[in-house]
Amino acid sequence: MDGTTGDRHGRVVAALDGASLRRHTTGQTILDTVDWTVRAGEHWALLGPNGAGKTSVLRLVGATTFPTTGTVEVLGHRLGRVDVRELRALIGHVSTSQRVPQDLPGHAVVLTGHTGSVQPLWKKYDDEVRERARALLAELQIKELADRPYGVCSGGQRARLLIARALMADPALLLLDEPFNALDLPSREDLVDTMRHLALTRPRLATVTVTHHLEELSPALTHALLLREGRALTQGPITHVLTTEHLTTCFGRPVEVSRHGGRWLARSGVAGWGEGAARQ
């Protein structure tokens, strides 16, 4: 998938126009006049050092916080002029910090995505809704988790359950806040495959993924936004953004970026590192 996919679809899914965010108690600037547009079919990575403002951007487009200045539009609605409770129901959220009852079986976890609730609201789930949840479990290759308590699932299994849960609302926008956190290598690769599958089977779905490591980026990602100290450093098609020069500026230390088979790698750019490693 190339970086023009979103332009072919054209429809704006989310847009920040001069959006700034300040902490009310201290006046600290968290985001500083960020301009950013996400279109249908685009898959974005948000990258930057800790404290750069990645999660804050996600909260703005997820309609869970409001800008101090500037504007934010999501799914055609401007924050401050729409009932955000209704808007949030149209946005898929995936975060390892989500509250999920540990004894809830996988099928029930996915069902709660239909009502946007922590606990299942059983009277709200007819046969069609229950079958949709089972179909999503099968699609994401986790149907064996239908009866397994969430608390005993692995990190990778939990991440895919949360994605299935988010897809119950058939969202136009899917936001993933560090979904790879604490995953081992097989679980990470399973999740990368899941993200590739979603890009192929849902061509109009837009996704935004916050992560710290280039190795976690799916080949399906089309665009990237680099943040530093609350400002948008650079953004655009992923191959134009994820360069040695841009990553070095973003993280404030020498970084070497390479790509192989559609996957990305970032290493310390200390001179002679590669030669030394090769001799070992």
Side-chain angles (χ1 to χ4, degrees), residues 66-150:
F66 294 84
T68 307
T69 58
T71 63
V72 176
E73 293 194 2
V74 183
L75 303 179
H77 300 282
R78 181 171 295 187
L79 297 193
R81 300 181 182 177
V82 63
D83 186 336
V84 293
R85 293 169 299 180
E86 295 181 5
L87 185 57
R88 289 169 190 160
L90 305 175
I91 303 169
H93 294 264
V94 175
S95 171
T96 54
S97 64
Q98 283 176 260
R99 290 186 301 150
V100 179
Q102 299 295 292
D103 60 345
L104 208 60
H107 184 250
V109 171
V110 178
L111 280 174
T112 61
H114 179 71
T115 46
S117 55
V118 175
Q119 292 285 353
L121 303 178
W122 296 110
K123 293 182 179 180
K124 300 283 188 179
Y125 310 138
D126 58 20
D127 290 343
E128 182 179 349
V129 170
R130 292 169 186 260
E131 179 54 36
R132 175 165 171 73
R134 283 190 286 268
L136 284 168
L137 287 169
E139 179 185 353
L140 300 189
Q141 300 183 4
I142 49 173
K143 61 182 180 181
E144 73 278 4
L145 304 181
D147 299 318
R148 187 175 304 176
Y150 183 81

Coordinates of all heavy atoms in Angstrom, one line a residue, residues 66-150:
F66 N -10.4 18.5 24.7 CA -10.6 19.7 23.8 C -9.4 20.5 23.7 O -8.6 20.6 24.7 CB -11.8 20.5 24.3 CG -13.1 19.8 24.3 CD1 -13.5 19.0 25.4 CD2 -14.0 20.0 23.3 CE1 -14.7 18.4 25.4 CE2 -15.2 19.4 23.3 CZ -15.6 18.5 24.3
P67 N -9.1 21.1 22.5 CA -8.0 22.0 22.4 C -8.2 23.3 23.2 O -9.3 23.8 23.4 CB -7.9 22.3 20.9 CG -9.3 22.2 20.5 CD -9.9 21.1 21.3
T68 N -7.1 23.8 23.7 CA -7.1 25.1 24.4 C -7.4 26.2 23.4 O -8.1 27.1 23.6 CB -5.8 25.4 25.2 OG1 -5.6 24.2 26.0 CG2 -6.0 26.6 26.0
T69 N -6.6 26.1 22.2 CA -6.8 27.0 21.1 C -6.8 26.2 19.8 O -6.3 25.1 19.8 CB -5.8 28.2 21.1 OG1 -4.5 27.5 21.0 CG2 -5.8 29.0 22.3
G70 N -7.2 26.8 18.7 CA -7.3 26.1 17.5 C -8.5 25.2 17.4 O -9.4 25.3 18.3
T71 N -8.6 24.4 16.4 CA -9.8 23.6 16.2 C -9.5 22.2 15.9 O -8.4 21.8 15.4 CB -10.7 24.1 15.0 OG1 -9.9 24.0 13.8 CG2 -11.1 25.5 15.2
V72 N -10.4 21.3 16.2 CA -10.3 19.8 16.0 C -11.6 19.4 15.4 O -12.6 19.6 16.0 CB -9.9 19.0 17.2 CG1 -9.9 17.5 16.9 CG2 -8.6 19.5 17.8
E73 N -11.5 18.8 14.2 CA -12.7 18.2 13.6 C -12.5 16.7 13.4 O -11.4 16.2 13.0 CB -13.0 18.8 12.2 CG -13.4 20.3 12.3 CD -14.0 20.8 11.0 OE1 -14.1 20.0 10.1 OE2 -14.3 22.0 11.0
V74 N -13.5 15.9 13.8 CA -13.4 14.5 13.7 C -14.7 14.0 13.1 O -15.8 14.3 13.6 CB -13.3 13.8 15.2 CG1 -13.1 12.3 15.0 CG2 -12.1 14.4 15.9
L75 N -14.6 13.2 12.0 CA -15.7 12.6 11.3 C -16.8 13.7 11.0 O -18.0 13.5 11.1 CB -16.4 11.5 12.2 CG -15.4 10.3 12.6 CD1 -16.2 9.3 13.5 CD2 -14.8 9.7 11.4
G76 N -16.2 14.8 10.5 CA -17.1 15.9 10.1 C -17.7 16.8 11.1 O -18.5 17.6 10.8
H77 N -17.3 16.6 12.4 CA -17.9 17.3 13.5 C -16.7 18.1 14.2 O -15.7 17.5 14.5 CB -18.6 16.4 14.5 CG -19.7 15.7 13.9 ND1 -21.0 16.3 13.6 CD2 -19.8 14.4 13.4 CE1 -21.8 15.4 13.0 NE2 -21.1 14.2 12.9
R78 N -17.0 19.3 14.5 CA -16.0 20.1 15.3 C -16.2 20.0 16.8 O -17.3 20.1 17.3 CB -16.1 21.6 14.9 CG -15.1 22.5 15.6 CD -15.0 23.9 15.1 NE -14.6 23.9 13.7 CZ -14.3 25.0 13.0 NH1 -14.5 26.2 13.6 NH2 -13.9 25.0 11.8
L79 N -15.1 19.7 17.5 CA -15.2 19.5 18.9 C -15.7 20.9 19.5 O -15.2 21.9 19.1 CB -13.9 19.2 19.5 CG -13.3 17.8 19.1 CD1 -12.1 17.4 20.0 CD2 -14.3 16.7 19.1
G80 N -16.6 20.8 20.4 CA -17.2 22.0 21.0 C -18.6 22.3 20.4 O -19.3 23.1 21.0
R81 N -18.9 21.6 19.3 CA -20.2 21.9 18.6 C -20.9 20.5 18.4 O -21.9 20.5 17.6 CB -20.0 22.5 17.3 CG -19.3 23.9 17.3 CD -19.2 24.5 15.9 NE -18.5 25.8 16.0 CZ -18.2 26.5 14.9 NH1 -18.5 26.0 13.7 NH2 -17.5 27.6 15.0
V82 N -20.5 19.5 19.1 CA -21.1 18.2 18.9 C -21.1 17.5 20.3 O -20.3 17.7 21.1 CB -20.3 17.4 17.9 CG1 -18.9 17.1 18.4 CG2 -21.0 16.0 17.6
D83 N -22.1 16.6 20.4 CA -22.2 15.7 21.6 C -21.1 14.7 21.5 O -21.1 13.8 20.7 CB -23.5 15.0 21.7 CG -23.7 14.3 23.0 OD1 -22.7 13.9 23.6 OD2 -24.9 14.0 23.4
V84 N -20.0 14.9 22.3 CA -18.8 14.0 22.1 C -19.1 12.6 22.5 O -18.4 11.7 22.1 CB -17.6 14.5 22.9 CG1 -17.1 15.8 22.3 CG2 -17.9 14.7 24.4
R85 N -20.2 12.4 23.3 CA -20.5 11.0 23.7 C -21.0 10.2 22.5 O -20.6 9.0 22.3 CB -21.6 11.0 24.8 CG -21.2 11.6 26.1 CD -22.3 11.8 27.0 NE -23.3 12.7 26.5 CZ -24.4 13.1 27.1 NH1 -24.7 12.6 28.2 NH2 -25.2 14.0 26.5
E86 N -21.7 10.9 21.6 CA -22.2 10.2 20.4 C -21.0 10.0 19.4 O -20.9 9.0 18.7 CB -23.3 11.0 19.7 CG -24.6 11.1 20.5 CD -25.6 11.9 19.8 OE1 -25.4 12.3 18.7 OE2 -26.7 12.0 20.4
L87 N -20.1 11.0 19.4 CA -19.0 11.0 18.5 C -18.0 9.9 18.9 O -17.5 9.1 18.0 CB -18.2 12.3 18.5 CG -17.1 12.5 17.5 CD1 -17.5 12.2 16.1 CD2 -16.5 13.9 17.6
R88 N -17.8 9.7 20.2 CA -16.8 8.7 20.6 C -17.3 7.3 20.3 O -16.5 6.4 20.1 CB -16.7 8.8 22.2 CG -15.9 10.0 22.6 CD -16.0 10.2 24.1 NE -15.5 11.5 24.5 CZ -15.8 12.1 25.7 NH1 -16.6 11.5 26.5 NH2 -15.3 13.2 26.0
A89 N -18.6 7.1 20.2 CA -19.2 5.8 19.8 C -18.8 5.4 18.4 O -18.9 4.2 18.1 CB -20.7 5.8 20.0
L90 N -18.4 6.4 17.6 CA -18.0 6.1 16.2 C -16.5 5.9 16.0 O -16.1 5.8 14.9 CB -18.6 7.2 15.3 CG -20.0 7.5 15.4 CD1 -20.4 8.8 14.6 CD2 -20.9 6.3 15.0
I91 N -15.8 6.0 17.1 CA -14.3 5.9 17.0 C -13.8 4.7 17.8 O -14.3 4.5 18.9 CB -13.7 7.2 17.7 CG1 -14.2 8.5 17.0 CG2 -12.1 7.1 17.6 CD1 -13.8 9.7 17.7
G92 N -13.0 3.9 17.2 CA -12.5 2.7 17.8 C -11.2 3.1 18.6 O -10.3 3.8 18.1
H93 N -11.2 2.6 19.9 CA -10.0 2.9 20.8 C -9.4 1.6 21.2 O -10.1 0.7 21.6 CB -10.5 3.7 22.0 CG -10.9 5.1 21.7 ND1 -10.2 6.2 21.8 CD2 -12.2 5.5 21.3 CE1 -10.9 7.3 21.5 NE2 -12.1 6.9 21.2
V94 N -8.1 1.5 21.2 CA -7.4 0.4 21.7 C -6.2 0.9 22.5 O -5.4 1.6 22.0 CB -6.8 -0.5 20.5 CG1 -6.0 -1.7 21.1 CG2 -7.9 -1.1 19.7
S95 N -6.2 0.5 23.8 CA -5.1 0.9 24.7 C -5.0 -0.2 25.8 O -5.9 -0.8 26.3 CB -5.5 2.2 25.4 OG -4.6 2.5 26.4
T96 N -3.7 -0.5 26.1 CA -3.4 -1.5 27.1 C -3.9 -1.0 28.5 O -4.0 -1.8 29.4 CB -1.9 -1.8 27.2 OG1 -1.2 -0.5 27.4 CG2 -1.4 -2.4 25.9
S97 N -4.2 0.3 28.6 CA -4.7 0.8 29.9 C -6.3 0.7 30.0 O -6.8 1.1 31.1 CB -4.3 2.2 30.1 OG -4.9 3.1 29.2
Q98 N -6.9 0.2 29.0 CA -8.4 0.0 29.1 C -8.8 -0.9 30.2 O -8.2 -1.9 30.5 CB -8.9 -0.5 27.8 CG -9.0 0.5 26.6 CD -9.4 -0.1 25.3 OE1 -8.6 -0.4 24.5 NE2 -10.7 -0.3 25.1
R99 N -9.9 -0.5 30.9 CA -10.4 -1.3 32.0 C -11.3 -2.4 31.4 O -12.3 -2.2 30.7 CB -11.3 -0.4 32.9 CG -10.6 0.6 33.7 CD -11.5 1.3 34.7 NE -12.6 2.0 34.0 CZ -13.8 2.2 34.5 NH1 -14.1 1.7 35.7 NH2 -14.7 2.8 33.8
V100 N -10.8 -3.6 31.7 CA -11.5 -4.8 31.2 C -11.6 -5.8 32.4 O -10.6 -6.1 33.0 CB -10.8 -5.5 30.0 CG1 -11.6 -6.8 29.6 CG2 -10.7 -4.5 28.8
P101 N -12.8 -6.2 32.8 CA -12.9 -7.2 33.9 C -12.1 -8.5 33.6 O -12.2 -9.0 32.5 CB -14.4 -7.5 34.0 CG -15.0 -6.3 33.4 CD -14.1 -5.8 32.3
Q102 N -11.2 -8.9 34.5 CA -10.3 -10.0 34.3 C -11.0 -11.3 34.1 O -10.4 -12.2 33.4 CB -9.3 -10.1 35.4 CG -8.4 -8.8 35.6 CD -7.5 -8.5 34.4 OE1 -6.6 -9.3 34.1 NE2 -7.8 -7.5 33.6
D103 N -12.2 -11.5 34.6 CA -12.9 -12.7 34.5 C -13.8 -12.8 33.3 O -14.5 -13.8 33.0 CB -13.7 -13.0 35.8 CG -14.7 -12.0 36.0 OD1 -14.7 -10.9 35.4 OD2 -15.6 -12.2 36.9
L104 N -13.9 -11.7 32.5 CA -14.8 -11.7 31.3 C -14.2 -12.5 30.2 O -13.0 -12.3 29.8 CB -14.9 -10.2 30.9 CG -16.2 -9.8 30.2 CD1 -17.4 -10.1 31.1 CD2 -16.1 -8.4 29.8
P105 N -15.0 -13.5 29.7 CA -14.5 -14.3 28.5 C -14.3 -13.4 27.3 O -15.0 -12.4 27.1 CB -15.5 -15.4 28.4 CG -16.7 -14.8 29.0 CD -16.3 -13.9 30.1
G106 N -13.5 -13.9 26.3 CA -13.2 -13.2 25.1 C -14.4 -12.7 24.4 O -14.4 -11.6 23.9
H107 N -15.4 -13.6 24.2 CA -16.5 -13.2 23.4 C -17.3 -12.1 24.0 O -17.8 -11.2 23.3 CB -17.5 -14.5 23.2 CG -18.7 -14.2 22.4 ND1 -19.9 -14.2 22.9 CD2 -18.8 -14.0 21.0 CE1 -20.8 -13.9 21.9 NE2 -20.1 -13.8 20.8
A108 N -17.4 -12.1 25.4 CA -18.1 -11.0 26.1 C -17.3 -9.7 26.0 O -17.9 -8.6 25.9 CB -18.3 -11.4 27.5
V109 N -15.9 -9.8 26.0 CA -15.1 -8.6 25.9 C -15.4 -7.9 24.5 O -15.6 -6.7 24.5 CB -13.6 -8.9 25.9 CG1 -12.8 -7.7 25.5 CG2 -13.2 -9.4 27.3
V110 N -15.5 -8.7 23.5 CA -15.8 -8.1 22.1 C -17.2 -7.6 22.1 O -17.5 -6.5 21.5 CB -15.6 -9.2 21.1 CG1 -15.9 -8.7 19.7 CG2 -14.2 -9.7 21.1
L111 N -18.2 -8.3 22.7 CA -19.5 -7.8 22.8 C -19.7 -6.4 23.4 O -20.5 -5.6 22.9 CB -20.4 -8.8 23.5 CG -20.9 -10.0 22.8 CD1 -21.6 -10.9 23.8 CD2 -21.8 -9.7 21.6
T112 N -18.9 -6.1 24.4 CA -19.0 -4.8 25.1 C -18.6 -3.7 24.1 O -19.0 -2.5 24.4 CB -18.1 -4.7 26.3 OG1 -16.7 -4.9 25.9 CG2 -18.4 -5.8 27.3
G113 N -18.0 -4.0 23.0 CA -17.7 -2.9 22.0 C -19.0 -2.4 21.3 O -19.0 -1.3 20.8
H114 N -20.0 -3.2 21.3 CA -21.3 -2.8 20.7 C -22.0 -1.8 21.6 O -22.6 -0.9 21.0 CB -22.2 -4.0 20.6 CG -23.5 -3.7 20.0 ND1 -23.7 -3.4 18.7 CD2 -24.8 -3.7 20.6 CE1 -25.0 -3.2 18.4 NE2 -25.7 -3.3 19.6
T115 N -21.8 -1.8 22.9 CA -22.4 -0.9 23.8 C -21.5 0.2 24.4 O -21.9 1.1 25.0 CB -23.1 -1.6 24.9 OG1 -22.2 -2.6 25.5 CG2 -24.4 -2.3 24.5
G116 N -20.2 0.0 24.1 CA -19.2 0.9 24.6 C -19.1 0.9 26.1 O -18.8 1.9 26.8
S117 N -19.4 -0.3 26.7 CA -19.5 -0.4 28.2 C -18.3 -1.3 28.7 O -17.7 -2.0 27.9 CB -20.8 -1.0 28.6 OG -21.0 -2.2 27.9
V118 N -18.0 -1.1 30.0 CA -17.0 -2.0 30.6 C -17.6 -3.4 30.8 O -17.0 -4.4 30.5 CB -16.5 -1.4 31.9 CG1 -15.5 -2.3 32.6 CG2 -15.8 0.0 31.6
Q119 N -18.8 -3.4 31.4 CA -19.5 -4.7 31.7 C -20.5 -5.0 30.5 O -21.0 -4.1 29.9 CB -20.2 -4.6 33.0 CG -19.3 -4.6 34.2 CD -18.7 -5.9 34.6 OE1 -19.0 -6.9 34.0 NE2 -17.7 -5.8 35.5
P120 N -20.7 -6.2 30.2 CA -21.7 -6.6 29.2 C -23.1 -6.1 29.6 O -23.5 -6.2 30.7 CB -21.6 -8.1 29.1 CG -20.3 -8.5 29.8 CD -20.1 -7.4 30.8
L121 N -23.8 -5.6 28.6 CA -25.2 -5.3 28.8 C -26.0 -6.3 28.0 O -26.4 -6.1 26.8 CB -25.5 -3.8 28.3 CG -24.7 -2.7 29.0 CD1 -25.0 -1.4 28.4 CD2 -24.9 -2.7 30.5
W122 N -26.2 -7.4 28.6 CA -26.7 -8.6 27.8 C -28.0 -8.4 27.1 O -28.2 -9.0 26.0 CB -26.8 -9.8 28.8 CG -25.5 -10.2 29.5 CD1 -25.2 -10.0 30.8 CD2 -24.4 -10.8 28.8 NE1 -23.9 -10.5 31.0 CE2 -23.4 -11.0 29.8 CE3 -24.2 -11.2 27.5 CZ2 -22.2 -11.6 29.5 CZ3 -22.9 -11.8 27.2 CH2 -22.0 -11.9 28.2
K123 N -28.9 -7.6 27.6 CA -30.2 -7.4 26.9 C -30.0 -6.6 25.6 O -30.9 -6.6 24.8 CB -31.1 -6.6 27.8 CG -31.6 -7.5 29.0 CD -32.6 -6.7 29.9 CE -33.0 -7.6 31.1 NZ -34.0 -6.9 32.0
K124 N -28.8 -6.0 25.4 CA -28.6 -5.2 24.2 C -28.0 -6.0 23.0 O -27.9 -5.5 21.9 CB -27.6 -4.1 24.5 CG -28.0 -3.1 25.6 CD -29.1 -2.1 25.0 CE -29.4 -1.0 26.1 NZ -30.3 0.0 25.6
Y125 N -27.7 -7.3 23.3 CA -27.0 -8.1 22.3 C -28.0 -9.2 21.8 O -28.2 -10.2 22.4 CB -25.8 -8.8 23.0 CG -24.9 -7.9 23.7 CD1 -24.3 -8.3 25.0 CD2 -24.6 -6.6 23.3 CE1 -23.5 -7.4 25.7 CE2 -23.8 -5.7 24.0 CZ -23.2 -6.1 25.2 OH -22.4 -5.3 25.9
D126 N -28.5 -8.9 20.6 CA -29.3 -9.9 19.9 C -28.4 -11.0 19.2 O -27.2 -10.9 19.3 CB -30.3 -9.3 19.0 CG -29.7 -8.5 17.9 OD1 -28.5 -8.7 17.6 OD2 -30.4 -7.6 17.3
D127 N -29.1 -11.9 18.5 CA -28.3 -12.9 17.8 C -27.4 -12.4 16.8 O -26.2 -12.9 16.6 CB -29.3 -14.0 17.2 CG -30.0 -14.8 18.2 OD1 -29.6 -14.8 19.4 OD2 -31.0 -15.4 17.9
E128 N -27.8 -11.4 16.1 CA -27.0 -10.8 15.1 C -25.7 -10.1 15.6 O -24.6 -10.3 15.1 CB -27.7 -9.7 14.3 CG -27.0 -9.1 13.1 CD -27.8 -8.0 12.4 OE1 -29.0 -8.0 12.6 OE2 -27.2 -7.3 11.6
V129 N -25.8 -9.4 16.8 CA -24.7 -8.8 17.4 C -23.7 -9.9 17.9 O -22.5 -9.8 17.8 CB -25.1 -7.9 18.6 CG1 -24.0 -7.4 19.4 CG2 -25.9 -6.7 18.0
R130 N -24.3 -10.9 18.5 CA -23.4 -12.0 19.1 C -22.7 -12.7 17.9 O -21.5 -13.1 18.1 CB -24.3 -13.0 19.8 CG -24.8 -12.5 21.1 CD -25.9 -13.4 21.8 NE -26.5 -12.8 22.9 CZ -26.2 -13.1 24.2 NH1 -25.3 -13.9 24.4 NH2 -26.9 -12.5 25.2
E131 N -23.3 -12.9 16.8 CA -22.7 -13.5 15.7 C -21.6 -12.6 15.1 O -20.5 -13.1 14.7 CB -23.7 -13.9 14.6 CG -23.1 -14.5 13.3 CD -22.3 -15.8 13.7 OE1 -22.7 -16.5 14.6 OE2 -21.2 -16.0 13.0
R132 N -21.8 -11.3 15.1 CA -20.8 -10.4 14.6 C -19.5 -10.5 15.5 O -18.4 -10.5 15.0 CB -21.3 -9.0 14.6 CG -20.3 -7.9 14.3 CD -20.9 -6.6 13.9 NE -19.9 -5.5 13.8 CZ -19.1 -5.4 12.8 NH1 -19.1 -6.3 11.8 NH2 -18.2 -4.4 12.7
A133 N -19.7 -10.6 16.8 CA -18.6 -10.7 17.7 C -17.8 -12.0 17.4 O -16.6 -12.0 17.4 CB -19.1 -10.7 19.2
R134 N -18.6 -13.1 17.2 CA -17.9 -14.4 16.9 C -17.1 -14.3 15.5 O -16.0 -14.8 15.4 CB -18.9 -15.5 16.8 CG -19.4 -16.0 18.2 CD -20.2 -17.3 18.1 NE -21.5 -17.0 17.6 CZ -22.6 -16.7 18.4 NH1 -22.4 -16.7 19.7 NH2 -23.8 -16.5 17.8
A135 N -17.7 -13.6 14.6 CA -17.1 -13.4 13.3 C -15.8 -12.6 13.4 O -14.8 -12.9 12.7 CB -18.0 -12.7 12.3
L136 N -15.8 -11.6 14.2 CA -14.6 -10.8 14.4 C -13.5 -11.6 15.1 O -12.3 -11.5 14.8 CB -14.9 -9.6 15.2 CG -15.6 -8.4 14.5 CD1 -16.1 -7.4 15.4 CD2 -14.6 -7.8 13.4
L137 N -13.9 -12.5 16.1 CA -12.9 -13.4 16.7 C -12.3 -14.3 15.7 O -11.0 -14.5 15.7 CB -13.6 -14.2 17.8 CG -14.0 -13.5 19.1 CD1 -14.8 -14.3 20.0 CD2 -12.7 -13.0 19.9
A138 N -13.1 -14.8 14.8 CA -12.6 -15.7 13.7 C -11.7 -14.9 12.8 O -10.6 -15.4 12.4 CB -13.7 -16.4 13.0
E139 N -12.1 -13.7 12.4 CA -11.3 -12.9 11.4 C -10.0 -12.6 11.9 O -9.0 -12.7 11.2 CB -12.1 -11.6 11.1 CG -11.4 -10.8 10.1 CD -12.0 -9.4 9.9 OE1 -13.2 -9.2 10.4 OE2 -11.4 -8.6 9.2
L140 N -9.9 -12.3 13.2 CA -8.6 -11.9 13.8 C -7.8 -13.2 14.4 O -6.8 -13.0 15.0 CB -8.8 -10.9 14.9 CG -9.4 -9.6 14.5 CD1 -9.3 -8.6 15.6 CD2 -8.7 -9.0 13.3
Q141 N -8.3 -14.3 14.0 CA -7.7 -15.6 14.3 C -7.5 -15.8 15.8 O -6.5 -16.3 16.3 CB -6.4 -15.7 13.6 CG -6.5 -15.7 12.1 CD -5.2 -15.9 11.3 OE1 -4.2 -16.1 11.9 NE2 -5.2 -15.7 10.0
I142 N -8.6 -15.5 16.6 CA -8.5 -15.7 18.0 C -9.8 -16.3 18.5 O -10.3 -16.1 19.7 CB -8.3 -14.4 18.8 CG1 -9.2 -13.2 18.3 CG2 -6.8 -14.0 18.7 CD1 -9.1 -12.0 19.1
K143 N -10.5 -17.1 17.7 CA -11.8 -17.6 18.1 C -11.6 -18.6 19.2 O -12.6 -18.9 20.0 CB -12.5 -18.3 16.9 CG -11.7 -19.5 16.3 CD -12.5 -20.0 15.1 CE -11.8 -21.2 14.5 NZ -12.6 -21.7 13.3
E144 N -10.4 -19.1 19.5 CA -10.2 -20.0 20.6 C -10.3 -19.3 21.9 O -10.3 -19.9 23.0 CB -8.8 -20.7 20.5 CG -7.6 -19.9 20.7 CD -7.2 -19.0 19.5 OE1 -7.9 -19.1 18.5 OE2 -6.1 -18.4 19.6
L145 N -10.3 -17.9 21.9 CA -10.4 -17.1 23.1 C -11.8 -16.8 23.5 O -12.0 -16.1 24.5 CB -9.6 -15.8 22.9 CG -8.1 -15.9 22.5 CD1 -7.5 -14.5 22.3 CD2 -7.3 -16.7 23.4
A146 N -12.8 -17.3 22.8 CA -14.2 -16.9 23.0 C -14.6 -17.2 24.5 O -15.3 -16.4 25.1 CB -15.1 -17.7 22.1
D147 N -14.1 -18.3 25.0 CA -14.5 -18.7 26.4 C -13.4 -18.5 27.4 O -13.5 -18.9 28.6 CB -15.0 -20.1 26.4 CG -16.2 -20.4 25.5 OD1 -17.1 -19.5 25.6 OD2 -16.2 -21.4 24.8
R148 N -12.3 -18.0 27.0 CA -11.1 -17.8 27.9 C -11.2 -16.5 28.6 O -11.4 -15.4 28.0 CB -9.8 -17.9 27.1 CG -8.5 -17.9 27.9 CD -7.3 -18.0 27.1 NE -7.4 -19.3 26.3 CZ -6.4 -19.6 25.4 NH1 -5.4 -18.8 25.2 NH2 -6.6 -20.7 24.7
P149 N -11.0 -16.5 30.0 CA -11.0 -15.2 30.7 C -10.0 -14.3 30.2 O -8.8 -14.7 30.0 CB -10.8 -15.7 32.2 CG -11.2 -17.1 32.2 CD -10.9 -17.7 30.8
Y150 N -10.3 -13.0 30.1 CA -9.4 -12.0 29.7 C -8.1 -12.0 30.5 O -7.0 -11.8 30.0 CB -10.1 -10.6 29.7 CG -9.2 -9.5 29.2 CD1 -9.2 -9.2 27.8 CD2 -8.6 -8.6 30.1 CE1 -8.4 -8.2 27.3 CE2 -7.8 -7.5 29.6 CZ -7.8 -7.3 28.2 OH -7.0 -6.3 27.8

